[in-house]
Amino acid sequence: MDKSPDAFRTISEVAEDLDLPQHVLRFWETRFTHIKPMKRGGGRRYYRPLDVDLLKGIRHLLYDQGYTIKGVQRLLRENGTQFIIALGSGDTAAAEAISQQRQATARQEEALAAEQSRADADEEAAVMGTPKSAPQGRRLFGLIKGDDEGPVAADGKRLSKDNRTLLQETLFDLLECKRLLDQVR
């Protein structure tokens, strides 16, 4: 008596169906995190129909198409399990549709990230303003003779235009460093 297509399969049934030794299926579980058979008491593995389809796709890519394990892992990571299942079943149209959908999603995410980056830069410019002129080089604060305009330093002397520009440039650099650190976190 044959099992229903929706029934769970034992490791021996799956190994026979895929013409693979059981130890290969156990090994693949360690290399492909998407393969997660249900385990019952005593450690017996029961594979869901989707697990079996995924295993068929992985077998097809490794044995028929010549992919390496790392190559299949990359395909899984970039395109998901449905892509591998479609390839394993020979449904190239579905695999192509999944791939195009993933690429469109990636483009949308890149566009959103670029828009967010521009919005952050605009917000930062609105808060800080833009420097009136670029400094001629990095100079130490006490070495530039100043004119009589601008903010007053702690010693009562006015900061020169170059020193103010240098301070503003340093502030921009610090804000950019903070922005980069916030992105990493």
Side-chain angles (χ1 to χ4, degrees), residues 7-43:
F8 284 37
R9 308 272 189 245
T10 64
I11 192 168
S12 60
E13 292 171 329
V14 174
E16 183 180 322
D17 187 33
L18 296 176
D19 193 27
L20 292 170
Q22 293 179 21
H23 71 270
V24 170
L25 296 176
R26 287 188 210 97
F27 173 73
W28 284 358
E29 285 178 38
T30 66
R31 296 295 180 243
F32 303 104
T33 58
H34 297 84
I35 301 172
K36 295 178 185 164
M38 188 176 72
K39 292 185 182 176
R40 301 290 290 202

Side-chain angles (χ1 to χ4, degrees), residues 54-70:
L54 179 59
L55 288 167
K56 286 178 183 177
I58 291 171
R59 183 192 186 289
H60 172 72
L61 291 171
L62 290 173
Y63 292 156
D64 300 335
Q65 298 297 317
Y67 277 83
T68 63
I69 287 178
K70 285 189 183 246

